[in-house]
Amino acid sequence: MSVRIPRTVIEANRPALSFWYGDEPISFERVGRSSQKSQVLIKVHPDCRVLVAAPLSASDEEVVQAVKKRARWVWLQLRDFRQQLEHITPRRYISGESHYYLGKQHMLKVIESEDEIPRVKLLRGKLEVVVRQRDSAVVNQLLDKWYRLRAREVFSRRLNAMMEQTLWVETLPPIRVLAMQTQWGSCSPLGRITLNPQLVKAPRECIDYVILHELCHIAEHNHSERFYRLMNQVMPGWEKIKVQLDNMANRLLSA
């Protein structure tokens, strides 16, 4: 199981349902609920994807009517997230841009020097990148390598710290850093934890949340009641941290 990143594209094999709110169409993706409860759950993601979990026994029309009852709330959520997305600009990898590391924004400073070895250094709140010739692609590659190296260090350190809270994990699980488009982290059936290097841009509590999530999957591979009991035990209030990470996803992945 894994901690997923909110996605902007609805899966092709799950056609969207929709309705009109005033003169604006609202589309959403329907998924089945794992529990037997009849309540319809609505989630608006920061990428403006609307996900509706509904009982399999309910017809599409019944689900649409249930979502319509909360149409204004859905519309307001979409409006707020769209306003946030308007402020996200594509990276150009030039001096003056801000890039995240451990939840904080650092100004990028690109230094051109034929005499120095290309490198990245975090110095006095600035990310200094030395290149022999100004090239956005080269700056991007150097930053990506730097983030991966720091991710390995930070993730290993936080995993060791989180082990003190997960008494059911007897030995330190192997950890892998791997770029993933849809996941912050995952846990294999054999207990290997994989983490997205982009996660190192998030605040420490968000990193701890993802690591603890995967450590709980070592004991319970599904999102069962036991899994959530373990999460509540090792990280009370984890839901707020998950929302914090979800809300930052677009900014972290574009910075």
Side-chain angles (χ1 to χ4, degrees):
M1 301 301 290
S2 61
V3 181
R4 293 192 172 273
I5 299 172
R7 296 190 64 182
T8 57
V9 180
I10 296 176
E11 296 176 15
N13 62 345
R14 287 178 177 172
L17 300 174
S18 63
F19 62 93
W20 287 84
Y21 180 72
D23 58 356
E24 181 177 339
I26 294 179
S27 298
F28 63 88
E29 177 187 356
R30 176 182 176 174
V31 297
R33 289 203 65 180
S34 57
S35 69
Q36 299 301 315
K37 295 181 180 179
S38 60
Q39 184 181 9
V40 172
L41 300 180
I42 305 170
K43 171 70 174 177
V44 182
H45 292 275
D47 57 14
C48 295
R49 181 170 61 102
V50 182
L51 188 68
V52 177
L56 296 176
S57 59
S59 68
D60 284 349
E61 180 58 31
E62 288 173 330
V63 175
V64 169
Q65 292 302 319
V67 180
K68 274 186 175 182
K69 292 179 181 179
R70 299 195 65 193
R72 177 167 174 77
W73 177 83
V74 173
W75 181 82
L76 289 173
Q77 293 287 302
L78 288 171
R79 183 195 64 181
D80 291 344
F81 286 136
R82 283 168 183 158
Q83 289 175 350
Q84 293 178 23
L85 288 172
E86 288 177 358
H87 298 291
I88 298 175
T89 57
R91 298 289 94 187
R92 298 172 61 195
Y93 299 98
I94 59 175
S95 294
E97 283 185 344
S98 62
H99 290 254
Y100 280 92
Y101 176 64
L102 294 180
K104 295 182 180 180
Q105 288 180 287
H106 301 277
M107 183 177 292
L108 179 64
K109 183 178 180 181
V110 180
I111 302 171
E112 186 176 1
S113 174
E114 296 182 356
D115 301 324
E116 295 186 59
I117 298 175
R119 60 171 175 79
V120 178
K121 188 174 183 179
L122 183 59
L123 183 65
R124 293 189 289 273
K126 292 184 179 180
L127 271 172
E128 290 189 355
V129 181
V130 175
V131 291
R132 296 215 167 109
Q133 185 176 1
R134 291 184 187 274
D135 185 319
S136 295
V138 173
V139 176
N140 185 7
Q141 292 170 4
L142 288 170
L143 276 174
D144 183 67
K145 182 178 180 181
W146 182 84
Y147 274 120
R148 287 174 180 270
L149 290 172
R150 299 306 289 261
R152 290 183 185 279
E153 296 172 5
V154 172
F155 296 162
S156 295
R157 188 166 64 247
R158 297 315 303 161
L159 176 61
N160 275 283
M162 295 301 99
M163 284 288 290
E164 298 177 4
Q165 299 172 235
T166 53
L167 301 179
W168 60 85
V169 183
E170 297 179 358
T171 59
L172 189 70
I175 190 171
R176 178 176 62 162
V177 176
L178 178 69
M180 297 178 284
Q181 291 186 341
T182 63
Q183 298 171 332
W184 290 119
S186 66
C187 179
S188 74
L190 297 178
R192 182 178 67 179
I193 292 176
T194 301
L195 296 172
N196 193 325
Q198 302 281 10
L199 182 62
V200 80
K201 299 177 181 180
R204 194 187 72 177
E205 62 267 21
C206 294
I207 297 172
D208 290 352
Y209 155 70
V210 175
I211 290 175
L212 284 171
H213 184 109
E214 304 312 335
L215 287 173
C216 286
H217 277 314
I218 291 178
E220 183 60 47
H221 206 62
N222 296 309
H223 289 128
S224 63
E225 290 186 10
R226 183 190 177 205
F227 170 83
Y228 288 114
R229 282 200 303 270
L230 288 174
M231 279 299 299
N232 290 327
Q233 174 186 322
V234 297
M235 181 175 269
W238 61 268
E239 295 96 334
K240 292 182 180 179
I241 299 174
K242 179 184 183 301
V243 170
Q244 178 188 6
L245 181 59
D246 286 347
N247 289 343
M248 294 185 72
N250 286 311
R251 283 173 286 159
L252 297 179
L253 295 172
S254 66

